[in-house]
mmCIF file with all atom_site columns, all heavy atoms in Angstrom:
data_model
loop_
_atom_site.group_PDB
_atom_site.id
_atom_site.type_symbol
_atom_site.label_atom_id
_atom_site.label_alt_id
_atom_site.label_comp_id
_atom_site.label_asym_id
_atom_site.label_entity_id
_atom_site.label_seq_id
_atom_site.pdbx_PDB_ins_code
_atom_site.Cartn_x
_atom_site.Cartn_y
_atom_site.Cartn_z
_atom_site.occupancy
_atom_site.B_iso_or_equiv
_atom_site.pdbx_formal_charge
_atom_site.auth_seq_id
_atom_site.auth_comp_id
_atom_site.auth_asym_id
_atom_site.auth_atom_id
_atom_site.pdbx_PDB_model_num
ATOM 1   N N   . ARG A 1 1  ? 73.458 74.231  68.587 1.00 0.00 ? 7  ARG A N   1
ATOM 2   C CA  . ARG A 1 1  ? 72.760 73.009  68.150 1.00 0.00 ? 7  ARG A CA  1
ATOM 3   C C   . ARG A 1 1  ? 73.513 71.720  68.526 1.00 0.00 ? 7  ARG A C   1
ATOM 4   O O   . ARG A 1 1  ? 72.905 70.745  68.914 1.00 0.00 ? 7  ARG A O   1
ATOM 5   C CB  . ARG A 1 1  ? 72.574 73.070  66.646 1.00 0.00 ? 7  ARG A CB  1
ATOM 6   C CG  . ARG A 1 1  ? 71.630 74.192  66.157 1.00 0.00 ? 7  ARG A CG  1
ATOM 7   C CD  . ARG A 1 1  ? 71.364 74.021  64.640 1.00 0.00 ? 7  ARG A CD  1
ATOM 8   N NE  . ARG A 1 1  ? 70.730 75.210  64.143 1.00 0.00 ? 7  ARG A NE  1
ATOM 9   C CZ  . ARG A 1 1  ? 71.369 76.182  63.456 1.00 0.00 ? 7  ARG A CZ  1
ATOM 10  N NH1 . ARG A 1 1  ? 72.682 76.077  63.259 1.00 0.00 ? 7  ARG A NH1 1
ATOM 11  N NH2 . ARG A 1 1  ? 70.695 77.225  63.010 1.00 0.00 ? 7  ARG A NH2 1
ATOM 12  N N   . ASN A 1 2  ? 74.831 71.818  68.468 1.00 0.00 ? 8  ASN A N   1
ATOM 13  C CA  . ASN A 1 2  ? 75.640 70.658  68.743 1.00 0.00 ? 8  ASN A CA  1
ATOM 14  C C   . ASN A 1 2  ? 75.941 70.505  70.202 1.00 0.00 ? 8  ASN A C   1
ATOM 15  O O   . ASN A 1 2  ? 76.609 69.522  70.635 1.00 0.00 ? 8  ASN A O   1
ATOM 16  C CB  . ASN A 1 2  ? 76.999 70.790  68.013 1.00 0.00 ? 8  ASN A CB  1
ATOM 17  C CG  . ASN A 1 2  ? 76.849 70.814  66.532 1.00 0.00 ? 8  ASN A CG  1
ATOM 18  O OD1 . ASN A 1 2  ? 75.875 70.287  65.952 1.00 0.00 ? 8  ASN A OD1 1
ATOM 19  N ND2 . ASN A 1 2  ? 77.859 71.306  65.848 1.00 0.00 ? 8  ASN A ND2 1
ATOM 20  N N   . ASN A 1 3  ? 75.426 71.432  71.041 1.00 0.00 ? 9  ASN A N   1
ATOM 21  C CA  . ASN A 1 3  ? 75.645 71.422  72.504 1.00 0.00 ? 9  ASN A CA  1
ATOM 22  C C   . ASN A 1 3  ? 77.151 71.391  72.825 1.00 0.00 ? 9  ASN A C   1
ATOM 23  O O   . ASN A 1 3  ? 77.621 70.590  73.680 1.00 0.00 ? 9  ASN A O   1
ATOM 24  C CB  . ASN A 1 3  ? 74.972 70.186  73.144 1.00 0.00 ? 9  ASN A CB  1
ATOM 25  C CG  . ASN A 1 3  ? 74.810 70.405  74.649 1.00 0.00 ? 9  ASN A CG  1
ATOM 26  O OD1 . ASN A 1 3  ? 74.858 71.527  75.169 1.00 0.00 ? 9  ASN A OD1 1
ATOM 27  N ND2 . ASN A 1 3  ? 74.678 69.300  75.388 1.00 0.00 ? 9  ASN A ND2 1
ATOM 28  N N   . ARG A 1 4  ? 77.945 72.184  72.107 1.00 0.00 ? 10 ARG A N   1
ATOM 29  C CA  . ARG A 1 4  ? 79.363 72.311  72.270 1.00 0.00 ? 10 ARG A CA  1
ATOM 30  C C   . ARG A 1 4  ? 79.708 73.780  72.610 1.00 0.00 ? 10 ARG A C   1
ATOM 31  O O   . ARG A 1 4  ? 80.510 74.393  71.914 1.00 0.00 ? 10 ARG A O   1
ATOM 32  C CB  . ARG A 1 4  ? 80.111 71.824  71.086 1.00 0.00 ? 10 ARG A CB  1
ATOM 33  C CG  . ARG A 1 4  ? 79.954 70.312  70.760 1.00 0.00 ? 10 ARG A CG  1
ATOM 34  C CD  . ARG A 1 4  ? 80.778 69.927  69.546 1.00 0.00 ? 10 ARG A CD  1
ATOM 35  N NE  . ARG A 1 4  ? 82.174 70.021  69.845 1.00 0.00 ? 10 ARG A NE  1
ATOM 36  C CZ  . ARG A 1 4  ? 82.966 69.114  70.364 1.00 0.00 ? 10 ARG A CZ  1
ATOM 37  N NH1 . ARG A 1 4  ? 82.448 67.939  70.738 1.00 0.00 ? 10 ARG A NH1 1
ATOM 38  N NH2 . ARG A 1 4  ? 84.210 69.293  70.543 1.00 0.00 ? 10 ARG A NH2 1
ATOM 39  N N   . VAL A 1 5  ? 79.096 74.259  73.641 1.00 0.00 ? 11 VAL A N   1
ATOM 40  C CA  . VAL A 1 5  ? 79.306 75.664  74.055 1.00 0.00 ? 11 VAL A CA  1
ATOM 41  C C   . VAL A 1 5  ? 80.492 75.718  74.976 1.00 0.00 ? 11 VAL A C   1
ATOM 42  O O   . VAL A 1 5  ? 80.653 74.941  75.915 1.00 0.00 ? 11 VAL A O   1
ATOM 43  C CB  . VAL A 1 5  ? 78.077 76.234  74.781 1.00 0.00 ? 11 VAL A CB  1
ATOM 44  C CG1 . VAL A 1 5  ? 78.313 77.675  75.206 1.00 0.00 ? 11 VAL A CG1 1
ATOM 45  C CG2 . VAL A 1 5  ? 76.845 76.098  73.832 1.00 0.00 ? 11 VAL A CG2 1
ATOM 46  N N   . ASN A 1 6  ? 81.401 76.684  74.668 1.00 0.00 ? 12 ASN A N   1
ATOM 47  C CA  . ASN A 1 6  ? 82.601 76.816  75.469 1.00 0.00 ? 12 ASN A CA  1
ATOM 48  C C   . ASN A 1 6  ? 82.294 77.610  76.762 1.00 0.00 ? 12 ASN A C   1
ATOM 49  O O   . ASN A 1 6  ? 81.269 78.244  76.861 1.00 0.00 ? 12 ASN A O   1
ATOM 50  C CB  . ASN A 1 6  ? 83.667 77.583  74.672 1.00 0.00 ? 12 ASN A CB  1
ATOM 51  C CG  . ASN A 1 6  ? 85.066 77.457  75.246 1.00 0.00 ? 12 ASN A CG  1
ATOM 52  O OD1 . ASN A 1 6  ? 85.421 76.369  75.719 1.00 0.00 ? 12 ASN A OD1 1
ATOM 53  N ND2 . ASN A 1 6  ? 85.827 78.541  75.315 1.00 0.00 ? 12 ASN A ND2 1
ATOM 54  N N   . HIS A 1 7  ? 83.224 77.552  77.710 1.00 0.00 ? 13 HIS A N   1
ATOM 55  C CA  . HIS A 1 7  ? 83.001 78.206  78.978 1.00 0.00 ? 13 HIS A CA  1
ATOM 56  C C   . HIS A 1 7  ? 83.386 79.707  78.915 1.00 0.00 ? 13 HIS A C   1
ATOM 57  O O   . HIS A 1 7  ? 83.047 80.489  79.809 1.00 0.00 ? 13 HIS A O   1
ATOM 58  C CB  . HIS A 1 7  ? 83.808 77.541  80.080 1.00 0.00 ? 13 HIS A CB  1
ATOM 59  C CG  . HIS A 1 7  ? 85.287 77.611  79.920 1.00 0.00 ? 13 HIS A CG  1
ATOM 60  N ND1 . HIS A 1 7  ? 85.955 76.743  79.098 1.00 0.00 ? 13 HIS A ND1 1
ATOM 61  C CD2 . HIS A 1 7  ? 86.205 78.501  80.412 1.00 0.00 ? 13 HIS A CD2 1
ATOM 62  C CE1 . HIS A 1 7  ? 87.265 77.044  79.107 1.00 0.00 ? 13 HIS A CE1 1
ATOM 63  N NE2 . HIS A 1 7  ? 87.439 78.105  79.876 1.00 0.00 ? 13 HIS A NE2 1
ATOM 64  N N   . ALA A 1 8  ? 84.153 80.098  77.912 1.00 0.00 ? 14 ALA A N   1
ATOM 65  C CA  . ALA A 1 8  ? 84.635 81.524  77.768 1.00 0.00 ? 14 ALA A CA  1
ATOM 66  C C   . ALA A 1 8  ? 84.731 81.907  76.317 1.00 0.00 ? 14 ALA A C   1
ATOM 67  O O   . ALA A 1 8  ? 85.227 81.138  75.504 1.00 0.00 ? 14 ALA A O   1
ATOM 68  C CB  . ALA A 1 8  ? 85.933 81.718  78.491 1.00 0.00 ? 14 ALA A CB  1
ATOM 69  N N   . TYR A 1 9  ? 84.249 83.126  76.031 1.00 0.00 ? 15 TYR A N   1
ATOM 70  C CA  . TYR A 1 9  ? 84.326 83.628  74.653 1.00 0.00 ? 15 TYR A CA  1
ATOM 71  C C   . TYR A 1 9  ? 84.928 85.034  74.676 1.00 0.00 ? 15 TYR A C   1
ATOM 72  O O   . TYR A 1 9  ? 84.850 85.818  75.683 1.00 0.00 ? 15 TYR A O   1
ATOM 73  C CB  . TYR A 1 9  ? 82.886 83.758  74.074 1.00 0.00 ? 15 TYR A CB  1
ATOM 74  C CG  . TYR A 1 9  ? 82.235 82.441  73.771 1.00 0.00 ? 15 TYR A CG  1
ATOM 75  C CD1 . TYR A 1 9  ? 81.443 81.743  74.742 1.00 0.00 ? 15 TYR A CD1 1
ATOM 76  C CD2 . TYR A 1 9  ? 82.415 81.837  72.515 1.00 0.00 ? 15 TYR A CD2 1
ATOM 77  C CE1 . TYR A 1 9  ? 80.912 80.540  74.464 1.00 0.00 ? 15 TYR A CE1 1
ATOM 78  C CE2 . TYR A 1 9  ? 81.789 80.642  72.263 1.00 0.00 ? 15 TYR A CE2 1
ATOM 79  C CZ  . TYR A 1 9  ? 81.061 79.982  73.176 1.00 0.00 ? 15 TYR A CZ  1
ATOM 80  O OH  . TYR A 1 9  ? 80.478 78.755  72.942 1.00 0.00 ? 15 TYR A OH  1
ATOM 81  N N   . LEU A 1 10 ? 85.577 85.385  73.550 1.00 0.00 ? 16 LEU A N   1
ATOM 82  C CA  . LEU A 1 10 ? 86.123 86.724  73.364 1.00 0.00 ? 16 LEU A CA  1
ATOM 83  C C   . LEU A 1 10 ? 85.578 87.271  72.083 1.00 0.00 ? 16 LEU A C   1
ATOM 84  O O   . LEU A 1 10 ? 85.853 86.759  70.994 1.00 0.00 ? 16 LEU A O   1
ATOM 85  C CB  . LEU A 1 10 ? 87.660 86.631  73.300 1.00 0.00 ? 16 LEU A CB  1
ATOM 86  C CG  . LEU A 1 10 ? 88.376 87.954  72.952 1.00 0.00 ? 16 LEU A CG  1
ATOM 87  C CD1 . LEU A 1 10 ? 88.099 89.018  74.032 1.00 0.00 ? 16 LEU A CD1 1
ATOM 88  C CD2 . LEU A 1 10 ? 89.877 87.753  72.837 1.00 0.00 ? 16 LEU A CD2 1
ATOM 89  N N   . PHE A 1 11 ? 84.755 88.352  72.197 1.00 0.00 ? 17 PHE A N   1
ATOM 90  C CA  . PHE A 1 11 ? 84.168 89.014  71.038 1.00 0.00 ? 17 PHE A CA  1
ATOM 91  C C   . PHE A 1 11 ? 84.960 90.294  70.818 1.00 0.00 ? 17 PHE A C   1
ATOM 92  O O   . PHE A 1 11 ? 85.042 91.159  71.715 1.00 0.00 ? 17 PHE A O   1
ATOM 93  C CB  . PHE A 1 11 ? 82.691 89.361  71.256 1.00 0.00 ? 17 PHE A CB  1
ATOM 94  C CG  . PHE A 1 11 ? 81.804 88.158  71.357 1.00 0.00 ? 17 PHE A CG  1
ATOM 95  C CD1 . PHE A 1 11 ? 80.497 88.268  71.787 1.00 0.00 ? 17 PHE A CD1 1
ATOM 96  C CD2 . PHE A 1 11 ? 82.218 86.891  70.922 1.00 0.00 ? 17 PHE A CD2 1
ATOM 97  C CE1 . PHE A 1 11 ? 79.649 87.157  71.840 1.00 0.00 ? 17 PHE A CE1 1
ATOM 98  C CE2 . PHE A 1 11 ? 81.422 85.805  71.002 1.00 0.00 ? 17 PHE A CE2 1
ATOM 99  C CZ  . PHE A 1 11 ? 80.123 85.893  71.452 1.00 0.00 ? 17 PHE A CZ  1
ATOM 100 N N   . SER A 1 12 ? 85.574 90.459  69.654 1.00 0.00 ? 18 SER A N   1
ATOM 101 C CA  . SER A 1 12 ? 86.369 91.656  69.382 1.00 0.00 ? 18 SER A CA  1
ATOM 102 C C   . SER A 1 12 ? 85.882 92.283  68.077 1.00 0.00 ? 18 SER A C   1
ATOM 103 O O   . SER A 1 12 ? 85.285 91.581  67.266 1.00 0.00 ? 18 SER A O   1
ATOM 104 C CB  . SER A 1 12 ? 87.856 91.302  69.283 1.00 0.00 ? 18 SER A CB  1
ATOM 105 O OG  . SER A 1 12 ? 88.093 90.479  68.149 1.00 0.00 ? 18 SER A OG  1
ATOM 106 N N   . GLY A 1 13 ? 86.217 93.534  67.877 1.00 0.00 ? 19 GLY A N   1
ATOM 107 C CA  . GLY A 1 13 ? 85.876 94.216  66.640 1.00 0.00 ? 19 GLY A CA  1
ATOM 108 C C   . GLY A 1 13 ? 85.615 95.721  66.889 1.00 0.00 ? 19 GLY A C   1
ATOM 109 O O   . GLY A 1 13 ? 85.655 96.202  68.007 1.00 0.00 ? 19 GLY A O   1
ATOM 110 N N   . PRO A 1 14 ? 85.361 96.447  65.793 1.00 0.00 ? 20 PRO A N   1
ATOM 111 C CA  . PRO A 1 14 ? 85.140 97.920  65.917 1.00 0.00 ? 20 PRO A CA  1
ATOM 112 C C   . PRO A 1 14 ? 83.887 98.198  66.754 1.00 0.00 ? 20 PRO A C   1
ATOM 113 O O   . PRO A 1 14 ? 83.026 97.336  66.939 1.00 0.00 ? 20 PRO A O   1
ATOM 114 C CB  . PRO A 1 14 ? 84.962 98.363  64.469 1.00 0.00 ? 20 PRO A CB  1
ATOM 115 C CG  . PRO A 1 14 ? 85.550 97.273  63.642 1.00 0.00 ? 20 PRO A CG  1
ATOM 116 C CD  . PRO A 1 14 ? 85.359 96.014  64.412 1.00 0.00 ? 20 PRO A CD  1
ATOM 117 N N   . ARG A 1 15 ? 83.756 99.403  67.195 1.00 0.00 ? 21 ARG A N   1
ATOM 118 C CA  . ARG A 1 15 ? 82.637 99.810  68.039 1.00 0.00 ? 21 ARG A CA  1
ATOM 119 C C   . ARG A 1 15 ? 81.338 99.778  67.203 1.00 0.00 ? 21 ARG A C   1
ATOM 120 O O   . ARG A 1 15 ? 81.348 100.008 65.992 1.00 0.00 ? 21 ARG A O   1
ATOM 121 C CB  . ARG A 1 15 ? 82.846 101.193 68.592 1.00 0.00 ? 21 ARG A CB  1
ATOM 122 C CG  . ARG A 1 15 ? 82.777 102.308 67.580 1.00 0.00 ? 21 ARG A CG  1
ATOM 123 C CD  . ARG A 1 15 ? 82.913 103.673 68.224 1.00 0.00 ? 21 ARG A CD  1
ATOM 124 N NE  . ARG A 1 15 ? 82.582 104.720 67.253 1.00 0.00 ? 21 ARG A NE  1
ATOM 125 C CZ  . ARG A 1 15 ? 83.471 105.279 66.419 1.00 0.00 ? 21 ARG A CZ  1
ATOM 126 N NH1 . ARG A 1 15 ? 84.721 104.837 66.448 1.00 0.00 ? 21 ARG A NH1 1
ATOM 127 N NH2 . ARG A 1 15 ? 83.142 106.233 65.588 1.00 0.00 ? 21 ARG A NH2 1
ATOM 128 N N   . GLY A 1 16 ? 80.243 99.458  67.877 1.00 0.00 ? 22 GLY A N   1
ATOM 129 C CA  . GLY A 1 16 ? 78.975 99.506  67.304 1.00 0.00 ? 22 GLY A CA  1
ATOM 130 C C   . GLY A 1 16 ? 78.650 98.457  66.286 1.00 0.00 ? 22 GLY A C   1
ATOM 131 O O   . GLY A 1 16 ? 77.750 98.564  65.443 1.00 0.00 ? 22 GLY A O   1
ATOM 132 N N   . CYS A 1 17 ? 79.336 97.313  66.346 1.00 0.00 ? 23 CYS A N   1
ATOM 133 C CA  . CYS A 1 17 ? 79.167 96.235  65.385 1.00 0.00 ? 23 CYS A CA  1
ATOM 134 C C   . CYS A 1 17 ? 78.414 95.024  65.959 1.00 0.00 ? 23 CYS A C   1
ATOM 135 O O   . CYS A 1 17 ? 78.231 94.041  65.278 1.00 0.00 ? 23 CYS A O   1
ATOM 136 C CB  . CYS A 1 17 ? 80.465 95.772  64.778 1.00 0.00 ? 23 CYS A CB  1
ATOM 137 S SG  . CYS A 1 17 ? 81.249 97.015  63.730 1.00 0.00 ? 23 CYS A SG  1
ATOM 138 N N   . GLY A 1 18 ? 77.980 95.084  67.209 1.00 0.00 ? 24 GLY A N   1
ATOM 139 C CA  . GLY A 1 18 ? 77.159 94.046  67.766 1.00 0.00 ? 24 GLY A CA  1
ATOM 140 C C   . GLY A 1 18 ? 77.789 93.123  68.748 1.00 0.00 ? 24 GLY A C   1
ATOM 141 O O   . GLY A 1 18 ? 77.274 92.016  69.040 1.00 0.00 ? 24 GLY A O   1
ATOM 142 N N   . LYS A 1 19 ? 78.933 93.472  69.330 1.00 0.00 ? 25 LYS A N   1
ATOM 143 C CA  . LYS A 1 19 ? 79.606 92.554  70.240 1.00 0.00 ? 25 LYS A CA  1
ATOM 144 C C   . LYS A 1 19 ? 78.804 92.346  71.536 1.00 0.00 ? 25 LYS A C   1
ATOM 145 O O   . LYS A 1 19 ? 78.496 91.198  71.891 1.00 0.00 ? 25 LYS A O   1
ATOM 146 C CB  . LYS A 1 19 ? 81.021 93.089  70.608 1.00 0.00 ? 25 LYS A CB  1
ATOM 147 C CG  . LYS A 1 19 ? 81.920 93.347  69.414 1.00 0.00 ? 25 LYS A CG  1
ATOM 148 C CD  . LYS A 1 19 ? 83.310 93.780  69.791 1.00 0.00 ? 25 LYS A CD  1
ATOM 149 C CE  . LYS A 1 19 ? 83.280 95.169  70.487 1.00 0.00 ? 25 LYS A CE  1
ATOM 150 N NZ  . LYS A 1 19 ? 82.783 96.237  69.574 1.00 0.00 ? 25 LYS A NZ  1
ATOM 151 N N   . THR A 1 20 ? 78.468 93.432  72.183 1.00 0.00 ? 26 THR A N   1
ATOM 152 C CA  . THR A 1 20 ? 77.744 93.338  73.445 1.00 0.00 ? 26 THR A CA  1
ATOM 153 C C   . THR A 1 20 ? 76.330 92.807  73.199 1.00 0.00 ? 26 THR A C   1
ATOM 154 O O   . THR A 1 20 ? 75.794 91.971  73.951 1.00 0.00 ? 26 THR A O   1
ATOM 155 C CB  . THR A 1 20 ? 77.617 94.671  74.173 1.00 0.00 ? 26 THR A CB  1
ATOM 156 O OG1 . THR A 1 20 ? 78.949 95.213  74.321 1.00 0.00 ? 26 THR A OG1 1
ATOM 157 C CG2 . THR A 1 20 ? 76.980 94.527  75.510 1.00 0.00 ? 26 THR A CG2 1
ATOM 158 N N   . THR A 1 21 ? 75.706 93.197  72.079 1.00 0.00 ? 27 THR A N   1
ATOM 159 C CA  . THR A 1 21 ? 74.389 92.683  71.743 1.00 0.00 ? 27 THR A CA  1
ATOM 160 C C   . THR A 1 21 ? 74.394 91.173  71.533 1.00 0.00 ? 27 THR A C   1
ATOM 161 O O   . THR A 1 21 ? 73.537 90.422  71.985 1.00 0.00 ? 27 THR A O   1
ATOM 162 C CB  . THR A 1 21 ? 73.872 93.424  70.454 1.00 0.00 ? 27 THR A CB  1
ATOM 163 O OG1 . THR A 1 21 ? 73.725 94.807  70.771 1.00 0.00 ? 27 THR A OG1 1
ATOM 164 C CG2 . THR A 1 21 ? 72.552 92.809  70.023 1.00 0.00 ? 27 THR A CG2 1
ATOM 165 N N   . SER A 1 22 ? 75.432 90.670  70.812 1.00 0.00 ? 28 SER A N   1
ATOM 166 C CA  . SER A 1 22 ? 75.577 89.251  70.565 1.00 0.00 ? 28 SER A CA  1
ATOM 167 C C   . SER A 1 22 ? 75.858 88.510  71.843 1.00 0.00 ? 28 SER A C   1
ATOM 168 O O   . SER A 1 22 ? 75.383 87.356  72.038 1.00 0.00 ? 28 SER A O   1
ATOM 169 C CB  . SER A 1 22 ? 76.708 88.994  69.535 1.00 0.00 ? 28 SER A CB  1
ATOM 170 O OG  . SER A 1 22 ? 76.371 89.567  68.256 1.00 0.00 ? 28 SER A OG  1
ATOM 171 N N   . ALA A 1 23 ? 76.560 89.162  72.785 1.00 0.00 ? 29 ALA A N   1
ATOM 172 C CA  . ALA A 1 23 ? 76.810 88.527  74.066 1.00 0.00 ? 29 ALA A CA  1
ATOM 173 C C   . ALA A 1 23 ? 75.458 88.315  74.839 1.00 0.00 ? 29 ALA A C   1
ATOM 174 O O   . ALA A 1 23 ? 75.212 87.286  75.469 1.00 0.00 ? 29 ALA A O   1
ATOM 175 C CB  . ALA A 1 23 ? 77.785 89.341  74.913 1.00 0.00 ? 29 ALA A CB  1
ATOM 176 N N   . ARG A 1 24 ? 74.625 89.329  74.769 1.00 0.00 ? 30 ARG A N   1
ATOM 177 C CA  . ARG A 1 24 ? 73.305 89.200  75.419 1.00 0.00 ? 30 ARG A CA  1
ATOM 178 C C   . ARG A 1 24 ? 72.419 88.165  74.778 1.00 0.00 ? 30 ARG A C   1
ATOM 179 O O   . ARG A 1 24 ? 71.750 87.369  75.432 1.00 0.00 ? 30 ARG A O   1
ATOM 180 C CB  . ARG A 1 24 ? 72.601 90.573  75.405 1.00 0.00 ? 30 ARG A CB  1
ATOM 181 C CG  . ARG A 1 24 ? 73.264 91.644  76.255 1.00 0.00 ? 30 ARG A CG  1
ATOM 182 C CD  . ARG A 1 24 ? 72.530 92.991  76.074 1.00 0.00 ? 30 ARG A CD  1
ATOM 183 N NE  . ARG A 1 24 ? 73.199 93.994  76.874 1.00 0.00 ? 30 ARG A NE  1
ATOM 184 C CZ  . ARG A 1 24 ? 72.837 95.264  76.852 1.00 0.00 ? 30 ARG A CZ  1
ATOM 185 N NH1 . ARG A 1 24 ? 71.817 95.665  76.077 1.00 0.00 ? 30 ARG A NH1 1
ATOM 186 N NH2 . ARG A 1 24 ? 73.448 96.201  77.571 1.00 0.00 ? 30 ARG A NH2 1
#
């Protein structure tokens, strides 16, 4: 909303919790 999107993100956490889904 604030148009402050970074150029790189790191999503970490246990398997099956939505990391790749959230990336998509």
Side-chain angles (χ1 to χ4, degrees):
R7 293 188 191 98
N8 298 337
N9 197 23
R10 295 181 64 89
V11 180
N12 196 42
H13 65 276
Y15 289 91
L16 175 61
F17 292 168
S18 67
R21 69 177 190 273
C23 292
K25 300 183 296 296
T26 306
T27 297
S28 297
R30 293 176 182 176

